[in-house]
Amino acid sequence: KGKKLSSIKLPKGQLDGIARLPNGELLISSWDAHAVYRGKLTGPFVEAISGVNAPADIAYDTKRNRVLIPLFKDHAIAVYELPK
C-alpha cells in the first residue's frame, strides 16, 4: 500500500544486476566490491562470487546452477558455478 517495510544495506555499493534464486534468495552484483552478493530480503548479504571486474546485469541458470555475469568493461560474459 505504498509503505516502505524495511531496507537492507549491502557491504558495498554501485549495485547493478539482480536475480532471484528458486529458494527466494537474491543475487546482486556490485561494481564497487567487484563481486556478487547473495542473501535474503531480510539480510544478511555475503559475497558469493568475488574478483569480478565490472559485473553488470546478471542471470541465473536454474538447470545448471550457474550465474551468468556480463563483464561490462571487458565486453565478455563470465559463467560461475554458484556455491551452495
Side-chain angles (χ1 to χ4, degrees):
K1 297 186 177 192
K3 294 181 183 178
K4 183 177 178 180
L5 299 176
S6 65
S7 63
I8 300 295
K9 186 166 176 85
L10 275 71
K12 296 232 178 183
Q14 291 184 296
L15 308 175
D16 194 331
I18 185 168
R20 186 176 178 160
L21 301 177
N23 68 358
E25 289 182 308
L26 299 175
L27 298 173
I28 301 175
S29 63
S30 167
W31 282 47
D32 194 27
H34 302 280
V36 174
Y37 292 111
R38 179 180 187 168
K40 296 189 179 209
L41 283 174
T42 56
F45 279 84
V46 295
E47 277 191 20
I49 301 169
S50 59
V52 184
N53 184 32
D57 295 325
I58 57 179
Y60 177 67
D61 177 352
T62 58
K63 184 175 181 181
R64 296 172 190 85
N65 191 41
R66 295 182 181 164
V67 181
L68 293 84
I69 308 170
L71 306 175
F72 189 81
K73 292 183 178 180
D74 296 336
H75 305 290
I77 295 176
V79 180
Y80 292 86
E81 294 284 331
L82 185 63
K84 296 194 178 213

